[in-house]
Amino acid sequence: MKKSINKFRSKVMNSLTKNIGKSYLKKAVKASEDTKIEHILICRPNGRLGNLLLTTPIIQELADTFPECKIDIIVKGGLAHTLYSNYPNVSKIICYQKSHLRNY
């Protein structure tokens, strides 16, 4: 019984995760000479590690599509510097604390 459950679980997990990391864009949208995207701002209102990790494919796709753009990231917490420091297109990482936004 355990083997059949493990086999079923393995098939389900493989089917769910087989396309992780693949782009659905198929590179149909290319940065043309008319498209001049120079700066992109990404805002993550919380600093949870899982949510920050979910933005890494977006950053990579933006860097591939618009290689000359500079990406700025606004996040809560201090994990962002460690996570995004290896991306050459990320120019600024702005971290804020919840206490900074109390008056707004």
Side-chain angles (χ1 to χ4, degrees), residues 57-75:
I58 295 168
I59 293 171
Q60 188 62 50
E61 192 69 31
L62 288 171
D64 291 344
T65 305
F66 306 106
E68 300 299 320
C69 75
K70 297 293 180 195
I71 300 172
D72 297 338
I73 301 173
I74 298 176
V75 295

Side-chain angles (χ1 to χ4, degrees), residues 79-103:
L79 291 173
H81 287 289
T82 305
L83 187 61
Y84 301 126
S85 63
N86 292 329
Y87 289 96
N89 287 55
V90 175
S91 62
K92 289 183 187 176
I93 301 171
I94 303 163
C95 295
Y96 66 90
Q97 299 298 326
K98 187 176 183 180
S99 60
H100 293 139
L101 300 176
R102 282 194 182 145
N103 298 330

Side-chain angles (χ1 to χ4, degrees), residues 17-67:
T17 60
K18 69 181 175 184
N19 290 323
I20 290 179
K22 293 183 181 177
S23 175
Y24 291 103
L25 193 57
K26 303 266 190 209
K27 303 299 177 197
V29 177
K30 284 283 192 177
S32 67
E33 293 182 21
D34 296 336
T35 307
K36 299 290 184 191
I37 306 267
E38 296 176 1
H39 297 283
I40 297 173
L41 177 65
I42 297 175
C43 299
R44 286 301 309 162
N46 62 30
R48 295 182 183 205
L49 181 59
N51 290 335
L52 295 177
L53 286 172
L54 288 173
T55 60
T56 55
I58 295 168
I59 293 171
Q60 188 62 50
E61 192 69 31
L62 288 171
D64 291 344
T65 305
F66 306 106

